[in-house]
Amino acid sequence: MRRIVSNLASKMVQIIDIGANLTDPMYQGIYGGSTKHQPDLSNVLDRGWTGGLDKIIVTVGTLTDCEPTFEIVKNDARLYATVGCHPTRCGEFIPDPESYFTGLCRQIEEHRDKVVAIGECGLDYDRLHFCEKDIQKQYFEKQLDLAEKYDLPLFLHCRNAHDDFVEILFRNLPRLPRRGVVHSFDGTLAAAETLIANGFYIGLNGCSLKTEENLAVAASVSDEWIMVETDSPWCEIRPSHAGSKHVRTKFPAVKKKEKWEPTSLIAGRCEPVMILQVLEVLAGVKGKTVSELAARYYSNTMKMFFPKEQAACREDEDK
């Protein structure tokens, strides 16, 4: 395992996972409400750092995610977070919209050094049984107030809702100077180009690389506008996915969760270290090296989410 997860590190590249759901119960050993093994988030993170990850941005999808998220990130300078409400959870605003919004503001203000984006927010018309369209649209736009108020970029979600998504987003462009990234992108090239033309980056993970059509889009998107993520514990690259033919690094995993050990990856559970496979697929479809792409995507991510740190590094280089 040590040899495998050190592949990225040995290439002397840095990677930022822009989206990892580290508060998911799977990292506490809980699957479908049943405990299968000990909590192992510390082991998961150790594998990520050993594998070459420089930073991880932990995704927040609801106000109640905030407290456990900031518990995770508070003592590690490599961990950061978003703050926002996922479109499928926007019904949580309804009982007391102002109180919910104020709660999000409070979380940002209390953890300003750790919050790098507003989100995950947007529209999801594939899962309207969780939250109807009008509610999603209303509170997606409401969260743009957070981006304006705190001068933060957006961590965006769009599923089967492109027209309404861009209508709301583009109508508000004048008050969104920092723009952001549309994560887990699986749309058309035309959709990607429309977003890029308006200053938004494209976030790619295993769910962005499932089909041959997905691969063609990823191959055509300019590297200057791509960021990478795992969306772990979801969006692993499965053998049935079109992108799997480009995967070079395999991560041995136990199939039975009860056979977990501290060094175990779990079959069906994605981890941040598996971002290497996302890079390998992109390298395969673009005809470039993992190291070349990693450097480009790292620079893109620093520019968007860590501009002060990037500027400081450049000053040091110029001395």
Side-chain angles (χ1 to χ4, degrees):
M1 182 65 67
R2 181 175 302 227
R3 180 183 60 81
I4 293 173
V5 299
S6 64
N7 280 352
L8 266 179
S10 67
K11 297 176 187 296
M12 300 300 291
V13 298
Q14 295 173 301
I15 298 295
I16 300 172
D17 185 349
I18 66 164
N21 301 286
L22 299 186
T23 59
D24 192 278
M26 290 189 205
Y27 297 124
Q28 298 302 311
I30 301 171
Y31 301 78
S34 177
T35 300
K36 302 296 185 182
H37 60 77
Q38 297 176 30
D40 67 341
L41 181 58
S42 61
N43 305 105
V44 169
L45 288 171
D46 285 345
R47 281 191 286 273
W49 307 138
T50 303
L53 279 162
D54 181 62
K55 294 179 177 62
I56 298 172
I57 300 174
V58 183
T59 307
V60 165
T62 177
L63 183 56
T64 55
D65 280 350
C66 289
E67 184 176 348
T69 294
F70 290 116
E71 267 307 302
I72 290 170
V73 308
K74 67 179 183 180
N75 294 320
D76 194 322
R78 299 166 292 186
L79 294 174
Y80 295 85
T82 69
V83 167
C85 186
H86 191 282
T88 62
R89 303 293 295 273
C90 278
E92 295 181 10
F93 272 94
I94 294 174
D96 191 343
E98 286 308 311
S99 177
Y100 197 92
F101 184 81
T102 299
L104 294 174
C105 291
R106 185 181 304 114
Q107 291 294 332
I108 296 168
E109 291 165 7
E110 290 179 357
H111 306 97
R112 195 62 184 84
D113 61 327
K114 285 292 189 179
V115 179
V116 296
I118 301 303
E120 178 175 358
C121 60
L123 300 176
D124 190 323
Y125 291 176
D126 280 342
R127 291 177 280 183
L128 292 175
H129 53 288
F130 289 122
C131 186
E132 62 184 68
K133 285 185 182 181
D134 288 346
I135 298 299
Q136 289 191 31
K137 290 163 66 176
Q138 179 180 356
Y139 292 108
F140 171 32
E141 189 154 15
K142 180 65 175 176
Q143 289 180 80
L144 302 184
D145 294 348
L146 295 171
E148 180 181 26
K149 180 175 182 177
Y150 296 106
D151 190 27
L152 285 167
L154 293 157
F155 187 80
L156 294 160
H157 176 107
C158 181
R159 283 287 174 273
N160 194 27
H162 178 75
D163 290 346
D164 286 348
F165 178 76
V166 298
E167 191 280 323
I168 292 170
L169 203 55
F170 292 1
R171 175 159 42 83
N172 286 278
L173 284 181
R175 63 191 186 109
L176 301 173
R178 295 284 300 278
R179 301 298 198 261
V181 59
V182 181
H183 104 105
S184 197
F185 183 84
D186 65 354
T188 65
L189 180 59
E193 289 175 338
T194 297
L195 291 162
I196 289 169
N198 286 277
F200 292 92
Y201 286 80
I202 303 301
L204 301 178
N205 57 36
C207 290
S208 309
L209 306 167
K210 287 183 176 181
T211 69
E212 291 296 342
E213 291 79 8
N214 292 154
L215 297 184
V217 171
S220 299
V221 174
S222 169
D223 292 325
E224 293 183 3
W225 291 98
I226 289 176
M227 298 180 191
V228 286
E229 57 180 304
T230 57
D231 203 27
S232 54
W234 317 106
C235 290
E236 67 174 329
I237 299 173
R238 300 178 180 177
S240 60
H241 293 175
S244 66
K245 61 179 172 288
H246 297 291
V247 171
R248 298 291 175 261
T249 303
K250 308 296 182 181
F251 296 95
V254 295
K255 294 183 178 179
K256 292 187 176 181
K257 301 171 183 67
E258 295 82 357
K259 293 190 175 182
W260 170 92
E261 294 180 357
T263 57
S264 301
L265 279 80
I266 306 294
R269 185 186 74 170
C270 188
E271 294 188 9
V273 72
M274 297 166 75
I275 202 164
L276 173 57
Q277 295 180 331
V278 176
L279 284 164
E280 289 175 342
V281 175
L282 292 172
V285 300
K286 289 174 174 289
K288 298 181 180 180
T289 67
V290 166
S291 297
E292 178 183 2
L293 293 183
R296 177 70 262 178
Y297 303 156
Y298 183 85
S299 177
N300 295 345
T301 306
M302 291 293 292
K303 179 181 178 182
M304 175 59 66
F305 295 118
F306 307 97
K308 292 181 181 179
E309 185 177 338
Q310 186 183 51
C313 290
R314 286 178 176 168
E315 286 181 8
D316 290 342
E317 290 172 358
D318 291 340
K319 289 180 180 178

